[in-house]
Amino acid sequence: MPSGSRPATDPARARFRARLARWMYLVPAAAYLLMFFGYPIVKNIMMSFQQYTTTTFYTGAAPFVGLRNYAEILASDLFSKALLTTALFTAGSIVGQFVLGLAFALFFQRRFPLGGFLRSLLLLPWLLPLVASGTTWRWMLDPDTGVVNTALRGLHLSSSGIPWLTGTSQALVSVILINIWVGIPFNTAILYAGLQDIPTHLYEAAKLDGAGPLASFRHVTWPLLRPVVGVVLVLGVVYTVKVLDLVLVVTGGGPAGATETLATRSYELSFQQFEFGRGAAMSNVLIVLSLAFALVYLRANRRARNG
């Protein structure tokens, strides 16, 4: 082979090896996503258009029913009630988590002894499994033997205790408060990281201009923190609307369906009534609602920044 041909082939081989190396990294990740995320989503969509029941596992027959599953769940009175409960649960949780998370983030922005240690302790509710958190809170809020009612009776604030989990008007509030407790660490961590990216000289300039803490927050902190706020709110809503294990452990969707959300309704249809087609349709409705909120909020946030 002529000696002058080696410089032409070596760069080509190097480029080929570089492309091959990139594909060797991408193919396993793509295969994992397709297998564990893509296939379940496609299968769930297919099931929602079929009469998929327990007999399907034996016969293999799942007749195509079109939009009948969607029509049945949307026409049900239980759907409208579960939708309202989901909206209240999501709104209450997001507002509480965000407000308290932002307050903690602003508090920990100040330098004080043991600040890092306290921030670490604040992450514990987020790191605990939801089943463990829900079981602990269910014990604490037990109407008869729970420590909360025991403390209220001991302080003479309530003679009979409060039906935190058995009252139809108190159960949803209790579940919202528990979910707020679970979500505060996530909001605090993300918002605290966003606060660290704000240059300190902007606060110094605002202080020189006579701006107080509220004015500095309004004109410096909030405008620069808005992109992070958007991410926190979108992720919070997408996560909250599908909360299942916490509600199941604490109240099981009761009493009298007072805490039944779209997620628990989908679980009930699929794994209690074994109507897998209708359960899949319900979960798809939940996914569509989450995506719709995310798209609407992100578009509105983009317009606000551009305007």
Side-chain angles (χ1 to χ4, degrees), residues 126-150:
W126 189 42
L127 298 176
L128 289 174
L130 286 181
V131 173
S133 300
T135 303
T136 303
W137 276 102
R138 185 179 63 183
W139 168 72
M140 293 175 59
L141 297 178
D142 186 271
D144 300 321
T145 60
V147 295
V148 176
N149 277 345
T150 301

Side-chain angles (χ1 to χ4, degrees), residues 93-110:
S93 298
I94 293 302
V95 171
Q97 292 172 0
F98 178 76
V99 172
L100 294 176
L102 180 59
F104 277 115
L106 292 172
F107 174 75
F108 284 117
Q109 193 180 19
R110 303 164 56 188

Side-chain angles (χ1 to χ4, degrees), residues 7-58:
T9 57
D10 289 344
R13 288 183 178 179
R15 287 194 298 269
F16 173 77
R17 290 176 179 174
R19 287 195 297 268
L20 182 61
R22 286 196 295 267
W23 278 107
M24 290 179 65
Y25 283 106
L26 290 175
V27 168
Y32 174 84
L33 291 175
L34 289 175
M35 182 179 301
F36 294 100
F37 291 93
Y39 173 76
I41 292 175
V42 173
K43 183 64 175 178
N44 197 70
I45 294 174
M46 293 174 57
M47 288 173 58
S48 67
F49 295 106
Q50 296 174 315
Q51 187 179 353
Y52 208 101
T53 61
T54 52
T55 58
T56 304
F57 294 99
Y58 298 98

Side-chain angles (χ1 to χ4, degrees), residues 224-261:
L224 296 178
L225 197 62
R226 282 185 63 180
V228 180
V229 170
V231 173
V232 169
L233 292 179
V234 170
L235 292 179
V237 170
V238 172
Y239 171 79
T240 303
V241 296
K242 66 180 183 64
V243 168
L244 172 65
D245 38 8
L246 183 66
V247 178
L248 288 180
V249 170
V250 176
T251 63
T259 58
E260 185 172 64
T261 63

